[in-house]
Amino acid sequence: YAPPEIQLLDGATDLPLNSTVNLGATNVGTPITKILTIKTLGNSNLNLTGSPIVSVTGTGFSVVANPTASIAPANPSSFTLQFNPGAVGPATGTVSIVNNDSDENPFILSLQGTAVGLPQTLTFTLPTVATVGDTPLALSATTTSGLPVTFASTTPDVCTVSGTTLF
């Protein structure tokens, strides 16, 4: 009899307890996934007893497919992590898997991911030619990202902007 001994794999790469999994870089709002595999090196079943089976913390990180709760020695099970960032910048989180391995319970991994901004094009309509003191001009612009456009004047002694109006 060999008791259950948890092993996590990223492809063929062994992930020791407390190691870091980097999900990579993606654009804000564009999810990326990584599949990890759990197996037991013992000759008895590894039971995943947490609720949820795989617990994830960290903004933007989630589990989108869970492993089975009982893993037989010859029958590994996989789960899928997702990183779907809502803001530009680095992100961190943790994975916790409560199980019946006597020396790696819970099994903890650190998560990393990076959210990058989408490239965008700004298209605007040039205002008509105007002279200081003329009536206010309406400004308009759109972006390919769909993000809002804010107008500002770098020469407030010559002209000012309020919302989408140039004075």
Side-chain angles (χ1 to χ4, degrees), residues 42-136:
N43 63 11
S44 57
N45 285 359
L46 175 70
N47 296 316
L48 309 181
T49 56
S51 181
I53 294 172
V54 176
S55 176
V56 176
T57 64
T59 302
F61 295 101
S62 62
V63 176
V64 294
N66 273 297
T68 59
S70 184
I71 299 171
N75 193 17
S77 185
S78 296
F79 65 99
T80 305
L81 294 171
Q82 178 175 275
F83 177 49
N84 188 10
V88 172
T92 58
T94 60
V95 168
S96 177
I97 304 169
V98 177
N99 64 84
N100 64 332
D101 180 323
S102 64
D103 65 345
E104 294 175 297
N105 179 34
F107 194 94
I108 306 287
L109 294 171
S110 295
L111 298 175
Q112 291 179 343
T114 303
V116 295
L118 293 170
Q120 65 177 337
T121 302
L122 176 65
T123 305
F124 61 95
T125 305
L126 291 174
T128 57
V129 176
T131 305
V132 174
D134 283 354
T135 57

